[in-house]
Every structure is written in structure tokens, then in C-alpha cells.
Amino acid sequence: MNLKEKILSGARIDFEEALSLYEMDFFELGELADAKRKELHGKKTYFNINRHINPTNICADICKFCAYAANRKNPNPYTMTHDEIMNIVKDVHSRGIKEIHIVSAHNPDTGIEWYLDIFKKIKTHYPDLHIKALTAAEVDFLARHYGKTYDEILDLMVQYGVDSMPGGGAEIFDEEVRDYICKGKVTSDQWLEIHEKWHSRGKKSNVTMLFGHVEKRKDRIDHMMRIRALQDKTGGFNCFIPLVYQSENNYLNVKEYITANEILKTMAISRIVLDNVANLKAYWVTSTVNLALVAQEFGANDLDGTIEKESINSAAGAASANGVNLEEFVALIKNTGFIPVERDSVYNEIKVW
Ligand code: V47
């Protein structure tokens, strides 16, 4: 059996086999990933109606790739008050938005209550809103800064109303690359430990991979393998999200930018390797809407959502700051021959558009 037959038979592939897929013909690889996508989701493309809120950009950690944190290149520190956040939530709720995705920098000055009380306030006023909040990097920061264990922070999250965890902060798990791009932040083992503990509470989360900077192909495959191993244990990851590195306003000196071909290959390979993660998100914010639409034919079955406003990736050059109009989004998915399916945050289907 050759590798293609092996993949089509449903057998699991190993590290070397996965790496060798980068050498496969581009369209053949796309077709393989598409076959896997069709097995799982047919022609459905999921999205949700969501709003990102990034309440503070003041950060105790330094990641070379980050343009969001206030620093020399981005001298506009801000921290929202809970009233400001609640005003946004009130507005978006009145317009039918169902998920609030809250991710902050690691602000050492707010007190832990500022991070947690907002979830309780949102849940008290809008119990039907799904709160996706606090990356494992934030959990690690809060634990370190306030002298708590991961278990204590995760229990507080459940108690205060967090429904699911976003996949941020995973970056690249390879320790050498990670040390170079974000030394001092949550380690790979800690990131995985936090998600394992979250899953053990019966909760779901996502997992990202930041690629297209200084990492090598082998580092991406290693990243996927570590995700697959944890998913075998917990089954708690809903979705894999490869984030394409944005190059503006940061301190990572990347000489050669990733091509669309390499992005699509990476998406396709992740669809094949991550045989136990149901959903692959083409996050249009970092890939552009056009490439995300093409990625639907390279394994991706989810396009995130309307987002409305986003500050982390747009600070680094992504053309995402103002989200995308719902009708336009639906029409784009239809025009590419896929079926737009609105989902909730944990992938229950809400409406076929
Ligand atoms: O962890 C930071 C990334 C992430 C850059 O869980 C950058 O559904 C590209 O995790 N270029 C935060 N990326 C965003 C995130 C996310 C987004 C959408 C959906 C979900 C989900 C999660 O943004 C960070 C980091 O990896 N990031 N700087 C940059 N220059």
C-alpha cells in the first residue's frame, strides 16, 4: 500500500509520512485532504456569529511575533473598564451575536478580579451568550502572577461562567523555536497540561498553530503530532486553527514570507494528520478571506465567524479589524459551492443558510 492508499484506507500516518506529504503533488494532496473533509462534513462549511473583545493590550510577557501588546512599536496602552466591555456585550447581544471571544494580554496591574468578574457579569445579564475566554497563556500568567495552581484558575473559570477555551498561545510547540519566538511564556508542556485539565472538567477547547515565521516544516508536523496525542487521551479539542504569521509591527525578523501554496499544503496535511480532531478552521483573519475560501477545498470546513472587531492579528497587519458582513459571508461560501451552516461555539448546527 502506498501512502495515498494508506491515507484513503483511514490508517493513521506517522511523523515521517506526514512530513513527506509536503513533497506530494499540490493538487493530489488537496484532493486527499478534501476526501477526508468530505467524509467528515460533506460540503458543509461552518461559521458562527461572534464578536471578539480584547480588553487590554498591556503585557508582562514579550513575544517577538506580537504586535498587539503595547510597546515601543505600538505605543497605545489600553485597559477597558467592565462598563465599557458590558456596553459592547449589550450592543452585540441585541444584534443576535451568540459567542463572545475574550482574549487579553497579560496585564500585571488589574488584579485577578478584573479578569474573572467580567465573565460573571456577562453570564448574569446574558445567560444565553457563550463565553469563549482565556487562552492557556493567560491561565499560566494568572496562576504565576497570583500564586495559584492551574486547577484553581480553571475551577474559577468554570465558576465564573467561562464555557470554552480558545486555542491561542500554542504558537509552535518545538522548544527551540518557542524559546526564540516567545521565551518566558507558557511552555509547550504547560499549554498541553492546561488544556488536558480543562478537558478533564468536561469542557471543550480549540488549538492553534502559529506558522509561516521561523519554524520549519518538521516543527509544524511535530506540533500536530503533540495535539493528536493529547486528543487521543481527552477528545476535548473541537477545532484546529493554523494561524498564518502576520509580519507588521513586531520584532520577529522574517526574511521570506510564506506562500499561498505552502499555507494550503499545511492546511491539507493538518486535515490528514489530525484524524481525531473533527474541525479544521481556515481563520480568514490571518489567511485573507479569499484564501480561506480556497482552503475549503484543502480540508478546511470552518471559517470562524463574522468577528466584527479584532485587535491581535490586525495589529500585525491582518486586514481584519472590522470583521465581515454576515450576508456577504454567507454569499461567499455559497458562491464557492459549499453549504454555509451556522453553528454554535461547540459545533451544534443552528441553521443551514
Ligand atoms: O495566540 C499573535 C496569534 C493568537 C500574531 O480558538 C498572531 O477559535 C499571526 O488564538 N501573526 C490569538 N498571529 C488568536 C487566537 C484565535 C483566533 C481565532 C479563533 C480562535 C479560537 C483563536 O494570535 C495568539 C498568537 O498565536 N498572533 N501575533 C501575528 N503577528
Side-chain angles (χ1 to χ4, degrees):
M1 206 173 3
N2 66 26
L3 184 54
K4 191 174 167 185
E5 288 162 350
K6 183 172 178 181
I7 291 167
L8 288 173
S9 78
R12 182 166 266 197
I13 60 169
D14 65 19
F15 179 93
E16 292 301 334
E17 289 169 325
L19 192 56
S20 76
L21 287 175
Y22 275 108
E23 307 306 329
M24 188 180 260
D25 173 76
F26 177 66
F27 293 104
E28 210 177 334
L29 175 63
E31 277 167 21
L32 269 181
D34 193 44
K36 291 283 153 200
R37 177 217 210 273
K38 284 204 183 100
E39 267 172 36
L40 290 162
H41 309 287
K43 295 290 267 183
K44 288 178 183 171
T45 291
Y46 291 108
F47 70 97
N48 73 351
I49 304 181
N50 61 350
R51 171 66 143 88
H52 285 211
I53 304 178
N54 305 117
T56 180
N57 68 350
I58 295 173
C59 200
D61 282 296
I62 301 166
C63 298
K64 286 196 182 114
F65 55 78
C66 182
Y68 169 64
N71 62 38
R72 193 153 46 83
K73 290 196 180 187
N74 179 19
N76 64 338
Y78 71 83
T79 302
M80 293 180 181
T81 63
H82 282 186
D83 284 348
E84 283 174 294
I85 298 171
M86 288 307 285
N87 281 338
I88 297 173
V89 176
K90 183 178 175 195
D91 167 55
V92 300
H93 185 262
S94 72
R95 290 186 287 107
I97 280 169
K98 300 182 177 84
E99 174 191 287
I100 301 284
H101 178 160
I102 303 179
V103 169
S104 285
H106 308 164
N107 190 328
D109 303 322
T110 59
I112 193 167
E113 306 75 27
W114 178 86
Y115 272 87
L116 295 170
D117 284 349
I118 190 63
F119 307 134
K120 196 170 265 175
K121 286 183 184 158
I122 295 173
K123 275 288 166 191
T124 306
H125 289 89
Y126 310 102
D128 57 321
L129 266 182
H130 181 103
I131 302 178
K132 180 161 81 180
L134 294 182
T135 66
E138 288 170 275
V139 172
D140 172 71
F141 159 71
L142 292 175
R144 274 190 284 134
H145 198 62
Y146 295 102
K148 297 198 179 296
T149 63
Y150 292 156
D151 282 308
E152 285 169 332
I153 299 286
L154 295 169
D155 285 341
L156 285 167
M157 285 162 65
V158 174
Q159 196 185 318
Y160 279 70
V162 174
D163 294 297
S164 67
M165 275 178 71
E171 323 310 359
I172 278 281
F173 290 143
D174 175 83
E175 279 72 13
E176 208 175 308
V177 177
R178 196 174 184 85
D179 259 11
Y180 180 70
I181 65 174
C182 57
K183 196 176 172 62
K185 180 161 101 164
V186 64
T187 66
S188 307
D189 285 345
Q190 288 167 334
W191 192 100
L192 291 163
E193 181 191 347
I194 289 167
H195 281 260
E196 183 169 0
K197 285 177 178 293
W198 181 248
H199 297 166
S200 77
R201 286 162 171 77
K203 299 285 189 183
K204 296 288 187 183
S205 65
N206 292 335
V207 49
T208 56
M209 173 177 79
L210 180 65
F211 74 115
H213 43 88
V214 297
E215 91 292 351
K216 302 271 191 299
R217 287 172 168 177
K218 70 170 176 49
D219 303 319
R220 297 177 206 149
I221 302 296
D222 167 66
H223 193 89
M224 294 173 204
M225 290 292 165
R226 296 197 208 191
I227 294 167
R228 192 171 77 179
L230 179 55
Q231 181 75 339
D232 275 345
K233 277 168 85 177
T234 69
F237 289 125
N238 267 335
C239 179
F240 176 60
I241 313 163
L243 299 168
V244 182
Y245 168 69
Q246 310 292 301
S247 60
E248 287 177 20
N249 307 319
N250 68 58
Y251 292 93
L252 200 55
N253 193 6
V254 175
K255 300 257 175 345
E256 206 174 309
Y257 298 127
I258 190 163
T259 60
N261 177 296
E262 187 76 4
I263 293 170
L264 291 172
K265 277 186 171 180
T266 303
M267 296 253 185
I269 293 170
S270 73
R271 179 58 288 162
I272 294 164
V273 171
L274 293 173
D275 53 12
N276 54 1
V277 179
N279 300 290
L280 170 62
K281 185 182 287 188
Y283 187 50
W284 60 264
V285 171
T286 64
S287 67
T288 72
V289 173
N290 287 345
L291 201 63
L293 292 169
V294 178
Q296 293 174 109
E297 294 187 23
F298 284 76
N301 68 294
D302 188 287
L303 295 190
D304 197 90
T306 45
I307 294 173
E308 290 219 338
K309 189 164 170 54
E310 190 281 332
S311 305
I312 299 178
N313 304 106
S314 53
S320 58
N322 293 315
V324 67
N325 172 278
L326 175 61
E327 282 71 31
E328 197 185 320
F329 202 52
V330 165
L332 287 168
I333 297 172
K334 279 189 184 163
N335 288 344
T336 45
F338 289 85
I339 307 164
V341 180
E342 184 189 338
R343 60 163 174 82
D344 69 10
S345 306
V346 287
Y347 289 85
N348 298 303
E349 291 187 9
I350 295 179
K351 176 175 167 182
V352 179
W353 281 71

